[in-house]
C-alpha cells in the first residue's frame, strides 16, 4: 500500500491517509478482505502519531469501507463494485429528484442523461 503524507499541506494528515486508502479501495487496488497495516505500523511508516492513523481508520469504518475486527486487524469491507453501485444509485436518485422538482418528464430526464453519457 503506497501512501504518502504532506506534513505542511493544507489537508490534515488523517484526511490525507483516509482519502488515499479510500482511493485505493475505489480503484480496486485494495480488494475486499485485504488486511490493512496495523495503526501502529502505518503510523511508524508514515511518521505520524498513532491517533492520526486511528482517526483515518475510524472514518473509513464510519463510511463502511473498512472493518476493524479487534486484535485481528482492519480489513477492507467494500469491494469496488459495491462502492460504484452505491454511488451510481445515489446519483440516479439525485437526478430523478432534481428532474421531478424541475417539472421534467422521464423522457426529458433520460435525454439529459443520454447527452451527459
Amino acid at each position: 500500500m503506497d501512501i504518502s503524507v504532506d506534513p505542511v499541506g493544507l489537508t490534515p494528515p488523517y484526511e490525507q491517509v483516509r482519502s488515499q486508502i479510500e482511493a485505493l479501495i475505489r480503484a480496486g487496488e485494495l480488494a475486499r478482505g485485504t488486511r490493512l497495516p496495523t495503526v501502529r505500523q502505518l503510523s511508524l511508516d508514515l511518521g505520524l502519531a498513532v491517533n492520526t492513523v486511528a482517526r483515518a481508520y475510524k472514518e473509513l469504518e464510519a463510511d463502511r469501507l473498512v472493518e476493524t475486527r479487534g486484535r485481528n486487524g482492519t480489513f477492507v469491507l467494500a469491494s469496488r463494485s459495491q462502492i460504484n453501485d452505491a454511488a451510481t444509485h445515489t446519483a440516479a436518485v439525485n437526478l430523478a429528484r432534481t428532474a421531478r422538482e424541475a417539472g421534467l418528464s422521464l423522457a426529458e430526464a433520460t435525454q439529459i442523461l443520454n447527452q451527459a453519457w
Side-chain angles (χ1 to χ4, degrees), residues 8 33 37 49 62 73 87 115:
V8 295
Q115 289 170 349

Side-chain angles (χ1 to χ4, degrees), residues 29-98:
E29 293 180 39
L30 289 176
R32 181 184 181 118
T34 301
R35 186 172 189 247
L36 298 181
T38 64
V39 169
R40 181 166 299 205
Q41 184 59 56
L42 190 55
S43 67
L44 288 171
D45 293 347
L46 298 174
L48 298 172
V50 172
N51 289 340
T52 301
V53 175
R55 180 170 179 187
Y57 278 21
K58 288 233 182 270
E59 295 208 3
L60 289 165
E61 197 164 11
D63 291 338
R64 303 192 63 157
L65 295 174
V66 302
E67 174 183 54
T68 300
R69 300 177 189 158
R71 292 188 167 272
N72 292 323
T74 302
F75 296 84
V76 175
L77 186 60
S79 68
R80 179 180 181 191
S81 64
Q82 289 172 318
I83 293 169
N84 290 342
D85 290 347
T88 302
H89 178 75
T90 299
V93 168
N94 289 335
L95 172 62
R97 183 181 310 121
T98 303

Side-chain angles (χ1 to χ4, degrees), residues 10-29:
L10 295 176
T11 306
Y14 80 88
E15 178 59 27
Q16 292 179 49
V17 172
R18 188 209 61 76
S19 66
Q20 288 178 62
I21 293 174
E22 179 182 1
L24 291 170
I25 293 170
R26 287 187 186 277
E29 293 180 39

